Amino acid sequence: MASLGPAVTGEQVPGAEAEPGAAGPPPPSTSSLGPLLPLKREPLYNWQATKASLKERFAFLFNSELLSDVRFVLGKGRGGGGGAAGGPQRIPAHRFVLAAGSAVFDAMFNGGMATTSAEIELPDVEPAAFLALLRFLYSDEVQIGPETVMTTLYTAKKYAVPALEAHCVEFLTKHLRADNAFMLLTQSPQLYLPSGNHEFSKSFCESLCVLKDPQNVTLLGDRVFTEARLFDEPQLASLCLDTIDKNTMDAISAEGFTDIDIDTLCAVLERDTLSIRECRLFGAVVRWAEAECQRQQLPMTFGNKQKVLGKALALIRFPLMTIEEFAAGPAQSGILSDREVVNLFLHFTVNPKPRVEYIDRPRCCLRGKECCINRFQQVESRWGYSGTSDRIRFTVNRRISIVGFGLYGSIHGPTDYQVNIQIIEYEKKQTLGQNDTGFSCDGTANTFRVMFKEPIEILPNLCYMACATLKVRVFPSVLPGSGFPLWYKRTEEGGARNTYC
């Protein structure tokens, strides 16, 4: 089992000396001392006899000068780090152990361009992460925490130790929540940033768990990953996005949301599976634009907000808002042009609706398979439509969510329709969801998808009514409207059998 808690006991104590001829702890590690000590030290006599297994013997050599033949110098040019004040940190190691556990170390020490230096500088590796890597190579022990997991993951990938990578990913997966999902997507410890730029990384560490000493949070870098590819960990990135889908409001309210880059923002806005009202999503995007203006040191003007949003603005689905939501938010934000505001108001209020440049496809956070239920298997007749509502009463035997209807249209050629669709709970006469929208038919016998703005939950053993009212200027002959299909998504695995009243 991986140890994710505090450091294990039994480590070497700096400054401790072993009595000659006695088995005891190894000499002190230079990883906590600034000055260089002689590389070769006289080994302690018979220490091997006190270790019953190979694992114990190798673990005894971890971070020890005993038999070491190489030193790694970390933190060069950075203050602190446990070494001499303002100096580097030196960590002893054993070439054979490292080469046996990592192909990268094997090439470093035994390849065609192998180094013969007794000291190797690693300016891009965090000392705590490198010690975690060595501990794993020497003893198979995993010691990671919220303050070191990202740098340890980077170090494990750099030196090709996939087993340690897996432990880091597992740790991150267990601690993934809506309030740190965006932070996790944007973390990268590959760069050390100047002091004063670590608040984002620190907040990520603190969001994973309550740290014993927040002042000692490891300082991570925060280079943003585009396309949500976390250290080339697509499974972890996918889990982050799934968490954002299921808890969108909590995720966009978290601090890390405003720190993502434009590509990550667009990748999120393109998703059909966000569970949030579009007006609230728009408000979060405005917050991101304001933060981006600050990062780019731009005045907080409407034009600059529009500029930094760029292609992201077209991904907001304004047609999914109600006219009241649009009037209270986007119409007054100054981010849309006057022409765009007028066109969207026309889209909300007039028939036939003018075409707009924004996506009107509903967002649906459901994961089930989409199915279509037809009352009639074939169509053999038609009748004139008189402008009344077509209705079907139905029940289901398990919980589903209806996302829309398939409606028939004119058989005389292409026609545009305005339509009101509703789902009503029959006994209570309560409207659970409705949408005023439109569709175009092509004169064929096909049905045409007309969708609700949000999925409507349907519970088993209750009677519901599906209602569709077409608004047309003339009354063409239409195919049977009383048999329009229900489009729905299952909200749990397994088949669903639907019965119509």
Side-chain angles (χ1 to χ4, degrees):
M1 289 291 292
S3 172
L4 304 181
V8 296
T9 59
E11 294 184 358
Q12 296 85 354
V13 180
E17 295 291 342
E19 296 182 7
S29 166
T30 55
S31 62
S32 59
L33 301 175
L36 273 172
L37 299 178
L39 187 59
K40 294 184 178 180
R41 297 287 299 275
E42 183 177 349
L44 298 177
Y45 176 72
N46 204 26
W47 63 268
Q48 298 88 342
T50 65
K51 310 301 174 188
S53 66
L54 180 65
K55 179 178 179 180
E56 289 182 3
R57 290 190 286 274
F58 273 47
F60 185 77
L61 297 175
F62 164 68
N63 198 18
S64 169
E65 288 287 345
L66 184 63
L67 303 179
S68 65
D69 54 2
V70 66
R71 283 194 186 95
F72 292 92
V73 183
L74 297 93
K76 193 166 186 177
R78 295 182 291 122
Q89 182 170 347
R90 293 172 171 83
I91 298 177
H94 306 77
R95 295 171 186 257
F96 170 75
V97 178
L98 302 190
S102 161
V104 176
F105 283 126
D106 189 20
M108 181 186 296
F109 299 133
N110 306 311
M113 301 180 67
T115 180
T116 58
S117 175
E119 278 198 354
I120 299 173
E121 294 183 2
L122 302 177
D124 65 329
V125 178
E126 172 70 26
F130 192 70
L131 283 172
L133 174 71
L134 294 188
R135 184 187 299 276
F136 183 76
L137 294 179
Y138 278 79
S139 66
D140 285 336
E141 180 184 345
V142 179
Q143 186 170 308
I144 53 179
E147 69 277 13
T148 60
V149 60
M150 298 302 295
T151 47
T152 302
L153 177 58
Y154 164 69
T155 306
K157 283 187 170 291
K158 177 177 180 178
Y159 293 103
V161 185
L164 183 57
E165 291 178 35
H167 284 294
C168 292
V169 171
E170 179 185 8
F171 180 91
L172 290 168
T173 301
K174 288 181 178 178
H175 291 82
L176 176 62
R177 300 193 309 267
D179 60 357
N180 61 34
F182 276 114
M183 292 182 183
L184 186 53
L185 280 174
T186 57
Q187 285 292 306
S188 170
Q190 299 185 27
L191 301 176
Y192 289 107
L193 300 183
S195 60
N197 290 337
H198 300 108
E199 292 183 0
F200 172 60
S201 298
K202 176 179 176 180
S203 64
F204 169 69
C205 298
E206 291 176 334
S207 72
L208 284 176
C209 70
V210 178
L211 301 177
K212 292 184 177 180
D213 185 0
Q215 300 300 321
N216 292 329
V217 176
T218 302
L219 302 181
L220 309 179
D222 63 354
R223 192 180 76 183
V224 174
F225 277 7
T226 60
E227 300 180 8
R229 290 181 180 176
L230 185 71
F231 291 117
D232 193 28
E233 290 290 346
Q235 181 179 3
L236 183 57
S238 178
L239 287 173
C240 290
L241 292 172
D242 286 345
T243 300
I244 293 168
D245 284 344
K246 296 173 183 177
N247 306 277
T248 309
M249 193 63 204
D250 290 338
I252 65 172
S253 300
E255 179 183 356
F257 171 74
T258 56
D259 292 294
I260 63 178
D261 72 339
I262 185 65
D263 291 327
T264 305
L265 177 65
C266 290
V268 172
L269 294 178
E270 287 172 349
R271 296 178 70 78
D272 292 334
T273 46
L274 300 178
S275 53
I276 189 172
R277 294 288 301 174
E278 205 70 19
C279 60
R280 294 180 179 177
L281 186 61
F282 174 79
V285 170
V286 172
R287 283 195 297 110
W288 181 91
E290 293 170 350
E292 184 66 14
C293 285
Q294 290 182 340
R295 281 191 289 270
Q296 297 187 22
Q297 299 181 342
L298 297 174
M300 202 72 66
T301 64
F302 297 143
N304 284 335
K305 292 179 185 178
Q306 188 180 51
K307 176 183 176 181
V308 298
L309 282 173
K311 57 186 178 181
L313 189 59
L315 299 175
I316 299 172
R317 305 182 185 186
F318 295 106
L320 299 186
M321 300 181 186
T322 65
I323 188 171
E324 293 81 10
E325 291 171 339
F326 179 76
Q332 302 183 46
S333 67
I335 293 178
L336 296 174
S337 68
D338 291 343
R339 181 178 179 181
E340 289 172 322
V341 171
V342 170
N343 285 343
L344 282 165
F345 268 126
L346 290 174
H347 176 80
F348 288 125
T349 56
V350 303
N351 293 316
K353 296 182 181 297
R355 300 183 70 87
V356 291
E357 304 249 342
Y358 296 97
I359 303 169
D360 60 0
R361 185 173 63 253
R363 299 189 192 270
C364 176
C365 61
L366 303 177
R367 293 290 192 274
K369 178 182 178 183
E370 185 174 275
C371 302
C372 178
I373 298 298
N374 294 277
R375 184 176 186 182
F376 302 126
Q377 299 304 313
Q378 60 183 3
V379 176
E380 297 180 349
S381 63
R382 62 181 184 269
W383 68 82
Y385 180 67
S386 61
T388 57
S389 299
D390 284 331
R391 302 188 176 199
I392 296 177
R393 283 190 295 164
F394 68 95
T395 61
V396 298
N397 70 336
R398 66 177 60 198
R399 186 167 62 96
I400 65 171
S401 289
I402 292 181
V403 295
F405 301 154
L407 300 182
Y408 294 103
S410 171
I411 63 172
H412 297 301
T415 307
D416 293 329
Y417 292 94
Q418 294 299 309
V419 61
N420 172 271
I421 57 174
Q422 295 181 344
I423 292 290
I424 301 169
E425 187 174 336
Y426 185 72
E427 297 295 335
K428 296 181 179 180
K429 307 300 182 185
Q430 178 183 358
T431 301
L432 303 181
Q434 66 99 27
N435 189 22
D436 288 298
T437 184
F439 74 96
S440 298
C441 75
D442 57 8
T444 67
N446 298 325
T447 58
F448 303 92
R449 292 169 65 97
V450 180
M451 312 303 283
F452 291 101
K453 291 184 176 181
E454 293 180 337
I456 300 174
E457 184 178 55
I458 303 298
L459 300 178
N461 304 319
L462 292 177
C463 191
Y464 297 89
M465 182 178 291
C467 176
T469 306
L470 275 67
K471 303 174 184 178
V472 291
R473 288 171 294 183
V474 296
F475 303 136
S477 295
V478 298
L479 293 164
S482 61
F484 60 79
L486 295 176
W487 291 89
Y488 73 94
K489 283 193 175 182
R490 289 198 294 261
T491 53
E492 57 185 349
E493 293 185 0
R497 183 176 62 229
N498 292 267
T499 305
Y500 298 100
C501 300

